[in-house]
Amino acid sequence: MEQRTAALVSSPEEAEADLELMARVAASEPSAQRVLVERLSRRVRKVTGLLCRSAADADDAAQLALIEILRSAHSFRVATSLERWAERLTIRATLHAVRRERNRRGLIERWLSPDLLPWGGPTTTPATDQIGLATLLQRLSSDRYEAFVLHHALDYTVDEISELTGAPVGTVKDRLVMARKQLRRFLDADLAAGRGKPR
Amino acid sequence: MNARERWEELQQRWAQGESLSPAEEQERLDYAAHDPRARRELEAFAALRAYAKAEGEPLSAALIDGVLEAVADGARLRAVTERELRVQPAIPSRRMGAWFVAAASLALAAALGTFALASPGTPKRLATSGPSVAQAVAARFSYAELVLTAGEVLVDGKVRRVDRRALRAGATLTTGDGRACFTVEPAIDVCLAERTTVLLEALAAPSVRIRVDDGLALASLSRRRPGSSFALLAGDLSATARGTIFSARRERDEAEITVVEGNVQVARGGVSSQVGTRVRVRTGRGGALRREPIAADDEARLLRLRPGHALAITAALGFLELDSKVPGTSVSVDAGPRFPLPLQTRIGAGRHLLSWHDATGQRLESWVDVAAGESQRSSAPLGRTAEVAPNLALEKPSAASLLDAARSELGRANPRAALALYEKLRASYPASSEAHTVLPTVGRLRLDLGDAVAALRAFDAYLARPGTLAPEALSGRIRALRALGQRSSERAAIAQYLARYPKGLERPLLERRLAELGGP
């Protein structure tokens, strides 16, 4: 929590510089827009990569998020750090894109053979492969996965996750509990199979 | 309870976001040092956290350029690049041979005019080159979703409100006395007038078709890509456009297409002609086609089918739900057209003006703050009093009722709505005891919502005239100072807390923080 608190607020000098940058972005100044996008793109892509299940989806979501960040520049306030503000917009954009993609996928999958997967990984994992953490997480349902990543990877509180996902606080807690139990089972099975540490 | 069960309990509490005391936290970590299963779980969590904190790969220059171009164009079209969707043959199962997978791929690919090559027996990802099957299939669908409902709106005969569910091709939308808007991606908004029925005849790209069976529908769309089109159909008239605002109306045997902006290709019986801005084409009972200019009034009437706010589905949109207990109440948002209630709509993040109108013609204005991605509910402020005495509809709610409403919003985990109500209470009854008592809660909400400056102001205001909530206010003040990075003030505030409340609940945590700050 200590690290997170530090990341929430910029120093006064940084805040002033950020405000100026965002004012220029809000005024549609191309050079400022480029500076902002290049500054945030790594973090944005990291967050979308965590929340999306395929690289293609994560790239799309990163673009959508950056567009939203540029278009929302006028609403930036100095109370939070620019990075944290951008991260919240990125999460919202990504969750929205993920849900939309899920709906679309549901439509399209009706047209495909059951053994063809247009997105994501193969239907089964070879038994001989070492199971990495990413693989374990991929087995969680989308709702649990989102809550788990937001809380344990991105340090959002249960209340914040409730606000970001639109799910009640109790539901978020339930998702976190179930995700942990599921992960526990995967880890136990993995340990019993004699495989190494999660990658 | 043995040590393992105790650890399970602590770990479960920690995993669901509960704060553990420093002693419990230490106990949780200590146990894992002796238990391989527990250690493995903690390592998994640590690995995830480390991965999230590590710096990511930059986006490619092409993707960044795509973003900047999209913003520069001001286009509503959000798909910046074509997604490179590829078919991945599944790992051949024991039930189904590898050759069958390959054959299925080729059959589907051939059916769609593309080729997917799968190497039988290869257990890793295989990507096709060039246009892929999935890409071709994906391009065949346009996503559609309801984005505004006012009054009763039916989809396939069932009441439907704005949700995040897709509308399917073949669905019928009906408005009774209500209104509705839906979006077809990318960038087509269709709004329906009262007593209108439309059929989503085709959502398959590149040709999206909406049939107006009865009533009036207005479509606004940004420019289509070459080869893509959108059509509104009314009777035997079809109007196809690639970027414009136009409407279709059908009433018994009559049908008409009205172009508000741009050009539309109107066709009937295999004969088509171009219709320009502010022109209407209509069929009469005799079957003859008439073309006539439209008056400014007609244009304004059509445009008022659209709400005053943007409807495109983006992350910068929130969700607004408005209702009233008084029959006949309507509302306009941001000085847009009036809608019957209940109203549900997607709306841009920010502050919006609501103008409430009751059946007697009285009007009351209020403001609502909508945050991106969040839901905001609001009821007509003229509701409760108007039920008792319509002429007193503008009477403001009492401090107690505002307090109740704010607590109720807090109970529903809706901090922004609660904060708005607390602020309204303070503005409406600045001299009341409630206005002062709610200050620590206001500060805490402000802090939770990221506004440490306003939070500090609220805590200081309460502490200037401290009451029974002074420990909470002082504790909140410390958190606000910490968030603002004011270390020396934070240190002084902690010292003040420890001196005033030596048995305070937060003493252990604050002592540790004081040590971190380098205090005594």
Side-chain angles (χ1 to χ4, degrees), chain B residues 367-396:
Chain B
W367 292 90
V368 64
D369 284 311
V370 178
E374 289 176 26
S375 296
Q376 180 68 275
R377 279 187 293 272
S378 191
S379 287
L382 31 76
R384 290 188 199 95
T385 50
E387 279 174 346
V388 180
N391 291 335
L392 299 175
L394 300 183
E395 189 178 297
K396 63 182 181 182

Side-chain angles (χ1 to χ4, degrees), chain A residues 90-160:
Chain A
T90 301
I91 289 168
R92 288 196 175 109
T94 307
L95 293 180
H96 183 81
V98 165
R99 288 194 182 114
R100 197 178 59 185
E101 194 54 33
R102 214 182 292 153
N103 284 334
R104 188 190 291 270
R105 202 170 300 178
L107 287 172
I108 293 166
E109 279 171 355
R110 292 182 207 156
W111 292 72
L112 292 174
S113 158
D115 280 295
L116 283 174
L117 292 181
W119 293 271
T123 48
T124 58
T125 304
T128 51
D129 271 12
Q130 186 187 25
I131 298 179
L133 178 62
T135 312
L136 296 178
L137 292 178
Q138 292 292 328
R139 295 182 184 178
L140 299 176
S141 71
S142 300
D143 290 337
R144 289 177 191 170
Y145 176 85
E146 284 167 10
F148 191 84
V149 166
L150 287 172
H151 185 61
H152 292 294
L154 295 172
D155 280 341
Y156 282 83
T157 64
V158 170
D159 285 344
E160 287 171 324

